[in-house]
Each structure stands twice: as C-alpha cells, then as structure tokens.
mmCIF file of all heavy atoms in Angstrom:
data_model
loop_
_atom_site.group_PDB
_atom_site.id
_atom_site.type_symbol
_atom_site.label_atom_id
_atom_site.label_comp_id
_atom_site.label_asym_id
_atom_site.label_seq_id
_atom_site.Cartn_x
_atom_site.Cartn_y
_atom_site.Cartn_z
ATOM 1 N N PHE A 1 90.390 0.227 74.858
ATOM 2 C CA PHE A 1 91.794 0.615 75.002
ATOM 3 C C PHE A 1 92.319 1.408 73.807
ATOM 4 O O PHE A 1 92.952 2.456 73.976
ATOM 5 C CB PHE A 1 92.671 -0.624 75.201
ATOM 6 C CG PHE A 1 94.139 -0.299 75.301
ATOM 7 C CD1 PHE A 1 94.666 0.220 76.481
ATOM 8 C CD2 PHE A 1 94.995 -0.491 74.234
ATOM 9 C CE1 PHE A 1 96.011 0.544 76.581
ATOM 10 C CE2 PHE A 1 96.337 -0.182 74.316
ATOM 11 C CZ PHE A 1 96.852 0.338 75.500
ATOM 12 N N ILE A 2 92.067 0.930 72.588
ATOM 13 C CA ILE A 2 92.675 1.553 71.400
ATOM 14 C C ILE A 2 92.287 3.026 71.255
ATOM 15 O O ILE A 2 93.165 3.880 71.078
ATOM 16 C CB ILE A 2 92.322 0.769 70.120
ATOM 17 C CG1 ILE A 2 92.876 -0.663 70.186
ATOM 18 C CG2 ILE A 2 92.861 1.492 68.885
ATOM 19 C CD1 ILE A 2 94.367 -0.787 70.120
ATOM 20 N N PRO A 3 90.990 3.388 71.313
ATOM 21 C CA PRO A 3 90.668 4.820 71.167
ATOM 22 C C PRO A 3 91.325 5.694 72.226
ATOM 23 O O PRO A 3 91.897 6.746 71.903
ATOM 24 C CB PRO A 3 89.139 4.839 71.296
ATOM 25 C CG PRO A 3 88.698 3.484 70.876
ATOM 26 C CD PRO A 3 89.767 2.561 71.391
ATOM 27 N N LEU A 4 91.271 5.286 73.493
ATOM 28 C CA LEU A 4 91.846 6.116 74.550
ATOM 29 C C LEU A 4 93.370 6.109 74.520
ATOM 30 O O LEU A 4 94.005 7.128 74.794
ATOM 31 C CB LEU A 4 91.340 5.645 75.916
ATOM 32 C CG LEU A 4 89.876 5.960 76.221
ATOM 33 C CD1 LEU A 4 89.483 5.395 77.573
ATOM 34 C CD2 LEU A 4 89.620 7.470 76.194
ATOM 35 N N ALA A 5 93.970 4.973 74.188
ATOM 36 C CA ALA A 5 95.434 4.911 74.110
ATOM 37 C C ALA A 5 95.959 5.788 72.990
ATOM 38 O O ALA A 5 97.068 6.338 73.088
ATOM 39 C CB ALA A 5 95.883 3.463 73.900
ATOM 40 N N SER A 6 95.164 5.963 71.920
ATOM 41 C CA SER A 6 95.619 6.767 70.787
ATOM 42 C C SER A 6 95.780 8.239 71.149
ATOM 43 O O SER A 6 96.402 8.998 70.409
ATOM 44 C CB SER A 6 94.652 6.622 69.605
ATOM 45 O OG SER A 6 93.403 7.245 69.883
ATOM 46 N N VAL A 7 95.213 8.644 72.291
ATOM 47 C CA VAL A 7 95.401 10.012 72.777
ATOM 48 C C VAL A 7 96.819 10.185 73.318
ATOM 49 O O VAL A 7 97.377 11.280 73.280
ATOM 50 C CB VAL A 7 94.367 10.336 73.878
ATOM 51 C CG1 VAL A 7 94.599 11.725 74.457
ATOM 52 C CG2 VAL A 7 92.946 10.210 73.327
ATOM 53 N N HIS A 8 97.433 9.094 73.794
ATOM 54 C CA HIS A 8 98.720 9.153 74.469
ATOM 55 C C HIS A 8 99.889 8.638 73.632
ATOM 56 O O HIS A 8 101.019 9.106 73.800
ATOM 57 C CB HIS A 8 98.663 8.351 75.773
ATOM 58 C CG HIS A 8 97.616 8.825 76.733
ATOM 59 N ND1 HIS A 8 97.784 9.926 77.541
ATOM 60 C CD2 HIS A 8 96.368 8.346 77.004
ATOM 61 C CE1 HIS A 8 96.700 10.106 78.274
ATOM 62 N NE2 HIS A 8 95.828 9.166 77.965
ATOM 63 N N ILE A 9 99.655 7.650 72.768
ATOM 64 C CA ILE A 9 100.748 7.020 72.022
ATOM 65 C C ILE A 9 100.374 6.896 70.542
ATOM 66 O O ILE A 9 99.196 6.953 70.197
ATOM 67 C CB ILE A 9 101.089 5.627 72.608
ATOM 68 C CG1 ILE A 9 99.847 4.742 72.693
ATOM 69 C CG2 ILE A 9 101.743 5.763 73.984
ATOM 70 C CD1 ILE A 9 100.111 3.337 73.251
ATOM 71 N N PRO A 10 101.369 6.707 69.647
ATOM 72 C CA PRO A 10 101.107 6.624 68.209
ATOM 73 C C PRO A 10 100.235 5.419 67.844
ATOM 74 O O PRO A 10 100.159 4.442 68.596
ATOM 75 C CB PRO A 10 102.509 6.480 67.599
ATOM 76 C CG PRO A 10 103.445 6.990 68.633
ATOM 77 C CD PRO A 10 102.816 6.661 69.953
ATOM 78 N N PRO A 11 99.574 5.472 66.665
ATOM 79 C CA PRO A 11 98.656 4.408 66.268
ATOM 80 C C PRO A 11 99.254 3.005 66.303
ATOM 81 O O PRO A 11 98.645 2.088 66.873
ATOM 82 C CB PRO A 11 98.267 4.807 64.830
ATOM 83 C CG PRO A 11 98.374 6.292 64.824
ATOM 84 C CD PRO A 11 99.539 6.609 65.716
ATOM 85 N N ILE A 12 100.420 2.818 65.693
ATOM 86 C CA ILE A 12 101.014 1.480 65.668
ATOM 87 C C ILE A 12 101.322 1.011 67.080
ATOM 88 O O ILE A 12 101.125 -0.160 67.426
ATOM 89 C CB ILE A 12 102.267 1.462 64.773
ATOM 90 C CG1 ILE A 12 101.855 1.591 63.296
ATOM 91 C CG2 ILE A 12 103.074 0.179 64.989
ATOM 92 C CD1 ILE A 12 103.012 1.642 62.325
ATOM 93 N N TRP A 13 101.785 1.933 67.935
ATOM 94 C CA TRP A 13 102.054 1.582 69.327
ATOM 95 C C TRP A 13 100.793 1.072 70.025
ATOM 96 O O TRP A 13 100.855 0.157 70.844
ATOM 97 C CB TRP A 13 102.596 2.798 70.075
ATOM 98 C CG TRP A 13 104.051 3.035 69.910
ATOM 99 C CD1 TRP A 13 104.778 2.960 68.753
ATOM 100 C CD2 TRP A 13 104.976 3.394 70.942
ATOM 101 N NE1 TRP A 13 106.085 3.263 68.988
ATOM 102 C CE2 TRP A 13 106.232 3.536 70.320
ATOM 103 C CE3 TRP A 13 104.846 3.624 72.305
ATOM 104 C CZ2 TRP A 13 107.371 3.888 71.044
ATOM 105 C CZ3 TRP A 13 105.978 3.983 73.029
ATOM 106 C CH2 TRP A 13 107.225 4.104 72.400
ATOM 107 N N CYS A 14 99.650 1.698 69.747
ATOM 108 C CA CYS A 14 98.390 1.283 70.390
ATOM 109 C C CYS A 14 98.131 -0.196 70.171
ATOM 110 O O CYS A 14 97.771 -0.930 71.099
ATOM 111 C CB CYS A 14 97.218 2.084 69.824
ATOM 112 S SG CYS A 14 97.237 3.836 70.219
ATOM 113 N N ILE A 15 98.314 -0.628 68.930
ATOM 114 C CA ILE A 15 98.012 -2.010 68.587
ATOM 115 C C ILE A 15 99.065 -2.953 69.147
ATOM 116 O O ILE A 15 98.745 -4.002 69.713
ATOM 117 C CB ILE A 15 97.886 -2.153 67.057
ATOM 118 C CG1 ILE A 15 96.785 -1.221 66.537
ATOM 119 C CG2 ILE A 15 97.579 -3.600 66.675
ATOM 120 C CD1 ILE A 15 96.685 -1.168 65.030
ATOM 121 N N VAL A 16 100.341 -2.578 68.994
ATOM 122 C CA VAL A 16 101.425 -3.432 69.501
ATOM 123 C C VAL A 16 101.335 -3.554 71.021
ATOM 124 O O VAL A 16 101.519 -4.641 71.585
ATOM 125 C CB VAL A 16 102.799 -2.881 69.079
ATOM 126 C CG1 VAL A 16 103.927 -3.686 69.723
ATOM 127 C CG2 VAL A 16 102.941 -2.906 67.557
ATOM 128 N N ALA A 17 101.032 -2.445 71.703
ATOM 129 C CA ALA A 17 100.947 -2.468 73.170
ATOM 130 C C ALA A 17 99.790 -3.329 73.665
ATOM 131 O O ALA A 17 99.819 -3.829 74.788
ATOM 132 C CB ALA A 17 100.800 -1.045 73.709
ATOM 133 N N MET A 18 98.793 -3.514 72.824
ATOM 134 C CA MET A 18 97.636 -4.331 73.212
ATOM 135 C C MET A 18 97.928 -5.825 73.096
ATOM 136 O O MET A 18 97.283 -6.647 73.757
ATOM 137 C CB MET A 18 96.448 -3.962 72.319
ATOM 138 C CG MET A 18 95.110 -4.537 72.729
ATOM 139 S SD MET A 18 94.422 -3.670 74.151
ATOM 140 C CE MET A 18 92.958 -4.633 74.466
ATOM 141 N N MET A 19 98.904 -6.185 72.257
ATOM 142 C CA MET A 19 99.129 -7.596 71.943
ATOM 143 C C MET A 19 99.451 -8.462 73.158
ATOM 144 O O MET A 19 98.798 -9.496 73.372
ATOM 145 C CB MET A 19 100.243 -7.725 70.901
ATOM 146 C CG MET A 19 99.888 -7.248 69.527
ATOM 147 S SD MET A 19 101.295 -7.455 68.402
ATOM 148 C CE MET A 19 100.671 -6.617 66.947
ATOM 149 N N PRO A 20 100.463 -8.111 73.977
ATOM 150 C CA PRO A 20 100.794 -9.002 75.100
ATOM 151 C C PRO A 20 99.639 -9.175 76.079
ATOM 152 O O PRO A 20 99.376 -10.289 76.545
ATOM 153 C CB PRO A 20 101.987 -8.299 75.768
ATOM 154 C CG PRO A 20 102.580 -7.439 74.695
ATOM 155 C CD PRO A 20 101.416 -6.979 73.893
ATOM 156 N N GLY A 21 98.942 -8.077 76.387
ATOM 157 C CA GLY A 21 97.825 -8.173 77.319
ATOM 158 C C GLY A 21 96.709 -9.047 76.783
ATOM 159 O O GLY A 21 96.131 -9.861 77.518
ATOM 160 N N GLU A 22 96.372 -8.888 75.503
ATOM 161 C CA GLU A 22 95.310 -9.693 74.904
ATOM 162 C C GLU A 22 95.669 -11.170 74.925
ATOM 163 O O GLU A 22 94.808 -12.029 75.143
ATOM 164 C CB GLU A 22 95.051 -9.239 73.455
ATOM 165 C CG GLU A 22 94.287 -7.943 73.329
ATOM 166 C CD GLU A 22 92.796 -8.152 73.459
ATOM 167 O OE1 GLU A 22 92.382 -9.039 74.240
ATOM 168 O OE2 GLU A 22 92.042 -7.443 72.800
ATOM 169 N N PHE A 23 96.963 -11.466 74.708
ATOM 170 C CA PHE A 23 97.367 -12.876 74.660
ATOM 171 C C PHE A 23 97.517 -13.476 76.056
ATOM 172 O O PHE A 23 96.843 -14.436 76.417
ATOM 173 C CB PHE A 23 98.678 -13.021 73.887
ATOM 174 C CG PHE A 23 99.122 -14.447 73.752
ATOM 175 C CD1 PHE A 23 98.481 -15.306 72.876
ATOM 176 C CD2 PHE A 23 100.181 -14.941 74.503
ATOM 177 C CE1 PHE A 23 98.876 -16.631 72.758
ATOM 178 C CE2 PHE A 23 100.588 -16.255 74.395
ATOM 179 C CZ PHE A 23 99.936 -17.106 73.517
ATOM 180 N N PHE A 24 98.388 -12.880 76.872
ATOM 181 C CA PHE A 24 98.664 -13.448 78.192
ATOM 182 C C PHE A 24 97.529 -13.200 79.186
ATOM 183 O O PHE A 24 97.244 -14.043 80.039
ATOM 184 C CB PHE A 24 99.970 -12.869 78.755
ATOM 185 C CG PHE A 24 101.191 -13.287 77.985
ATOM 186 C CD1 PHE A 24 101.873 -12.364 77.210
ATOM 187 C CD2 PHE A 24 101.642 -14.595 78.020
ATOM 188 C CE1 PHE A 24 103.004 -12.736 76.491
ATOM 189 C CE2 PHE A 24 102.756 -14.985 77.302
ATOM 190 C CZ PHE A 24 103.443 -14.059 76.531
ATOM 191 N N GLY A 25 96.899 -12.024 79.085
ATOM 192 C CA GLY A 25 95.863 -11.678 80.052
ATOM 193 C C GLY A 25 94.632 -12.542 79.956
ATOM 194 O O GLY A 25 93.880 -12.680 80.924
ATOM 195 N N THR A 26 94.396 -13.141 78.785
ATOM 196 C CA THR A 26 93.191 -13.957 78.621
ATOM 197 C C THR A 26 93.483 -15.457 78.663
ATOM 198 O O THR A 26 92.544 -16.258 78.590
ATOM 199 C CB THR A 26 92.491 -13.619 77.288
ATOM 200 O OG1 THR A 26 93.419 -13.805 76.215
ATOM 201 C CG2 THR A 26 92.002 -12.189 77.279
#
C-alpha cells in the first residue's frame, strides 16, 4: 500500500491512512 499510495497522496498521509485499516481490518 505505502509505495503505491505515495503516487497519489503525500508521505505522511500514506502512513496515517494505513492506520485504521491495519488496526480494525485485522
């Protein structure tokens, strides 16, 4: 997710956007 998301959104956004999915999704 992080490498491909960095094409569309800023670096900090990539990591923050991953947080809810990593926590709730698993």
Side-chain angles (χ1 to χ4, degrees):
F1 178 77
I2 298 291
L4 288 178
S6 69
V7 177
H8 301 281
I9 54 179
I12 289 178
W13 277 43
C14 293
I15 302 173
V16 174
M18 190 75 184
M19 290 180 187
E22 285 278 35
F23 182 74
F24 293 110
T26 56

